[in-house]
Amino acid sequence: MNEQTFEATLYAPLFYSSSEGRAIRTQPTLSATALMHALGYRYFDMEKRYAEFGEHATTPDYSHLRDASFFVSDMRPVAVETDERTFRSTDYRSERNFTTNDTDLARQISGDKSIPSILEDSGAAYQTIRNYLGVSPGSTFEFTIWSEQPIPDRPFFRMGIKQTGEFRAEESSQNSIILNKYLLSEVYDVSEELLTELMEHCDSFKRGNDPRLQHFVGSDPEFVRDRIIPEVV
Amino acid sequence: MTLEYPDKGLVESHSIYRKRKPTVTLIVKRDVTEPTLFRNSNHDRAETQEFGDKLHAQVNGEKFTSKERLTGLDLLRRLDDDGTLIDDEYTYNEPDDLADSLNVGTLTYGLAGTGDQDFAIKSRVVEGYTYTTDEYDLMNKETRNAVYETGTMQDNEGEQSQALFDFVKVQPGNDLVHFITLEAATGPMLLYTLHNILNTGKYGARETRTGRNVRNDVLGVILGDHDTSLSTGELLMEYHSDDDDLVESLSEYIQGVRREDWDVYGEFEGAEAAPNWLDDLLSVAAREADDADEIMKEEFGRLMTEARENFELTDE
């Protein structure tokens, strides 16, 4: 099993919802679920569905990741800026969107101020008004990948909404491994016992208000290599 | 003329699921020919990004795709005399059901249907963020007065207009390099995308009043068995300085990140001269060939037949 650690540089603004709702926030740690897809499509012949219907079009499904011949860590922020890029609101599944300069409206969208009832009670397009916060170009991240076949020394991949996040990575030395609890427990069905052991073999466990935002920070590389990787690859 | 497509970079036929994802990247230089206003959260100017110590205007790729998609739909309506290419009822941004929404535009650029039927067609075209190649001068404001119906800045009582507003436009001579990647696309999808790029000349705010403001030029084409995408940010941040020649920087960038399976065509160092199939494709896409409309109609018709079969819409 190859283990490669990379430092990735972002070259375009990345919008990516680590938590959803009215305010779409990109937290500085980028989730492994997104990175699995980005690398899978590019380097591991992962199947992409160009059309989805009914519930499949609206509900995420990660079960196909179980068949992947590789596994990745979360992307640990090295030097990251998560500035507010724009007030932008849009219906999740349509192209309808609008931009506003109205500070009051923007505060309503971001959840700092209550939404006028006319917007709350109106049709679907207005109810899904969203505020996007993004990661700025020039930000850098570290991640580790375990795979049968190594990936190139300088991989390029895209992530995020509309695939705007353009990354080029270079091999680097490993500083810290962050593993995603959602991926391990919900996608790979890793047992509670093993997750408890992993918790004892990491520096800290970071909780979030969304299942996908829970991370094992500073996981012990030996433990990950010997116990976790054989379970998931 | 019969169009030929390359063996590399494209898929042979339309399919909903894909494991193999060959790609084509078009290197497009967007020459700004008239002052152009790209606005975002600020209504009077573009977003900016600092490279080195200079400010560059940053433009979201959607500001280009949305205009190019409309050029494409206009073409489909013009070519369609029997209702096979685009449904009369179809309205961009207000899709109804899948059967009415299926056309070359939605197959190529994607569509999410939220009307009578939930469906999502993913885009095969990736147009990322792009940046001006030279400095974006924020001091270069254009200040305007609101004009009254009289056509002057005074109202009918002789009062001077109080309304002033500023714009910071991207000035002519400042260009944008854009890498447009088609993923797992068929030949007709490439033809359609090229047509839309070469026949769209108005972008940004107030384009209907300022006329043609951008001229697109395809500098090169990269074909690959895998993802050939490139990043304008990476080009400008890592391979281009103020005094450098843009095409030289571009050539250096492509050679620096090039993978073995890439075929690179264009008029720059390290690239091969355009083969016949590419010249033919460009002349049909630019509507320079005499039989361009005929060829496009035939190509798009073929794609629609394949797609209808794949979506099981042939009986309706």
Side-chain angles (χ1 to χ4, degrees):
Chain A
M1 184 69 59
N2 289 282
E3 180 178 303
Q4 292 168 282
T5 297
F6 292 93
E7 182 162 310
T9 305
L10 177 66
Y11 286 109
L14 166 71
F15 295 108
Y16 155 60
S17 56
S18 33
S19 66
E20 294 190 11
R22 276 219 181 73
I24 304 252
R25 284 171 201 283
T26 304
Q27 54 154 36
T29 302
L30 302 183
S31 166
T33 45
L35 183 60
M36 285 289 288
H37 285 95
L39 294 174
Y41 289 147
R42 174 116 202 211
Y43 296 107
F44 296 96
D45 283 344
M46 186 181 280
E47 186 177 84
K48 189 166 182 177
R49 292 162 196 200
Y50 285 97
E52 304 271 23
F53 307 98
E55 209 176 298
H56 290 293
T58 55
T59 321
D61 173 27
Y62 299 109
S63 56
H64 56 280
L65 293 181
R66 278 200 291 265
D67 302 327
S69 62
F70 67 100
F71 183 75
V72 293
S73 69
D74 281 339
M75 290 174 83
R76 183 180 77 84
V78 177
V80 173
E81 274 185 45
T82 49
D83 288 337
E84 196 168 309
R85 304 303 312 182
T86 180
F87 294 120
R88 178 164 179 256
S89 32
T90 180
D91 180 334
Y92 181 45
R93 291 166 300 160
S94 90
E95 298 280 321
R96 252 183 296 210
N97 63 62
F98 64 83
T99 308
T100 177
N101 308 297
D102 182 334
T103 325
D104 264 1
L105 182 56
R107 285 179 55 210
Q108 286 155 0
I109 293 163
S110 67
D112 298 345
K113 198 175 174 203
S114 64
I115 303 251
S117 64
I118 191 167
L119 291 181
E120 285 282 4
D121 303 341
S122 62
Y126 291 107
Q127 282 193 352
T128 48
I129 291 171
R130 288 170 167 206
N131 177 34
Y132 285 75
L133 302 180
V135 182
S136 308
S139 296
T140 53
F141 301 85
E142 177 194 324
F143 68 92
T144 300
I145 176 168
W146 296 266
S147 59
E148 294 291 346
Q149 297 296 323
I151 62 172
D153 302 341
R154 294 179 66 206
F156 181 97
F157 52 91
R158 292 170 179 279
M159 275 167 66
I161 296 167
K162 301 260 178 200
Q163 299 193 52
T164 56
E166 298 166 348
F167 288 94
R168 175 82 60 190
E170 281 188 22
E171 283 209 70
S172 69
S173 56
Q174 194 175 67
N175 284 302
S176 178
I177 299 175
I178 302 182
L179 295 186
N180 189 291
K181 180 173 179 258
Y182 178 83
L183 197 60
L184 291 174
S185 63
E186 304 303 316
V187 178
Y188 290 97
D189 294 328
V190 171
S191 69
E192 280 296 320
E193 292 78 23
L194 189 53
L195 291 177
T196 311
E197 273 190 68
L198 175 59
M199 205 178 279
E200 288 159 4
H201 285 86
C202 68
D203 295 339
S204 64
F205 180 69
K206 197 176 160 209
R207 291 178 195 282
N209 58 0
D210 181 287
R212 281 168 295 179
L213 300 185
Q214 316 222 11
H215 311 280
F216 298 97
V217 180
S219 308
D220 173 17
E222 285 294 322
F223 183 81
V224 173
R225 227 169 273 149
D226 299 343
R227 301 292 307 280
I228 303 290
I229 299 304
E231 291 280 318
V232 295
V233 180
Chain B
M1 188 199 305
T2 317
L3 278 191
E4 275 178 47
Y5 296 113
D7 298 335
K8 190 180 268 191
L10 298 168
V11 293
E12 276 168 19
S13 58
H14 176 267
S15 154
I16 295 175
Y17 303 117
R18 279 278 166 217
K19 272 208 161 192
R20 278 187 52 248
K21 282 176 288 287
T23 57
V24 178
T25 294
L26 307 170
I27 306 164
V28 177
K29 186 153 155 279
R30 302 186 184 279
D31 293 339
V32 176
T33 55
E34 296 287 337
T36 300
L37 179 61
F38 293 109
R39 58 185 175 190
N40 212 284
S41 45
N42 287 315
H43 80 289
D44 59 346
R45 63 177 180 87
E47 285 178 346
T48 53
Q49 203 59 249
E50 209 175 300
F51 302 146
D53 55 358
K54 281 203 173 155
L55 217 52
H56 296 252
Q58 169 179 288
V59 191
N60 186 328
E62 279 175 67
K63 291 193 182 292
F64 298 102
T65 23
S66 55
K67 299 284 164 65
E68 285 158 17
R69 290 181 80 148
L70 295 177
T71 303
L73 293 181
D74 180 60
L75 171 75
L76 295 181
R77 294 206 189 279
R78 202 143 29 86
L79 294 180
D80 195 30
D81 44 21
D82 55 2
T84 53
L85 291 184
I86 186 164
D87 194 285
D88 267 351
E89 301 294 310
Y90 174 74
T91 46
Y92 177 63
N93 270 353
E94 301 285 342
D96 205 354
D97 61 5
L98 180 66
D100 292 346
S101 306
L102 210 61
N103 56 58
V104 182
T106 57
L107 289 169
T108 309
Y109 293 96
L111 182 74
T114 51
D116 294 349
Q117 195 184 356
D118 278 348
F119 64 91
I121 301 175
K122 280 202 172 83
S123 174
R124 305 202 186 215
V125 182
V126 181
E127 290 192 38
Y129 272 85
T130 185
Y131 310 90
T132 51
T133 50
D134 289 314
E135 189 166 19
Y136 178 55
D137 186 1
L138 283 181
M139 303 303 283
N140 193 2
K141 279 183 183 173
E142 289 179 18
T143 304
R144 303 279 175 80
N145 285 85
V147 177
Y148 287 99
E149 204 176 329
T150 55
T152 70
M153 287 178 285
Q154 287 186 343
D155 66 13
N156 53 12
E157 279 155 23
E159 291 293 314
Q160 185 68 29
S161 154
Q162 297 294 308
L164 288 175
F165 46 93
D166 296 326
F167 292 130
V168 188
K169 296 184 171 181
V170 174
Q171 296 299 321
N174 206 349
D175 305 326
L176 303 117
V177 175
H178 213 170
F179 299 109
I180 299 169
T181 297
L182 279 88
E183 175 188 274
T186 65
M189 289 177 183
L190 172 61
L191 174 65
Y192 186 71
T193 309
L194 273 172
H195 168 274
N196 301 343
I197 293 167
L198 294 174
N199 291 282
T200 308
K202 295 178 183 177
Y203 297 91
R206 297 172 173 257
E207 41 87 7
T208 48
R209 274 180 273 168
T210 49
R212 185 183 186 98
N213 52 10
V214 173
R215 186 172 294 277
N216 293 322
D217 185 19
V218 178
L219 289 187
V221 176
I222 302 174
L223 311 178
D225 296 332
H226 302 281
D227 197 342
T228 49
S229 38
L230 298 165
S231 159
T232 308
E234 189 179 22
L235 162 71
L236 295 178
M237 281 188 226
E238 312 284 356
Y239 293 85
H240 185 70
S241 313
D242 290 344
D243 303 330
D244 292 351
D245 177 73
L246 186 70
V247 176
E248 274 173 31
S249 304
L250 181 73
S251 155
E252 218 176 286
Y253 173 43
I254 292 167
Q255 290 182 60
V257 300
R258 184 174 183 156
R259 292 184 65 183
E260 234 172 70
D261 60 288
W262 291 11
D263 288 352
V264 181
Y265 301 107
E267 300 280 318
F268 49 87
E269 210 187 319
E272 288 174 52
N276 288 340
W277 64 261
L278 182 56
D279 285 337
D280 289 350
L281 196 61
L282 287 168
S283 92
V284 172
R287 306 168 66 92
E288 282 160 4
D290 297 340
D291 49 358
D293 280 6
E294 223 170 277
I295 293 173
M296 284 195 278
K297 198 177 167 206
E298 193 186 317
E299 293 295 311
F300 299 156
R302 191 158 56 83
L303 174 61
M304 286 304 292
T305 309
E306 286 170 6
R308 282 204 185 89
E309 277 172 21
N310 287 333
F311 285 99
E312 293 173 358
L313 292 170
T314 40
D315 297 331
E316 289 177 28

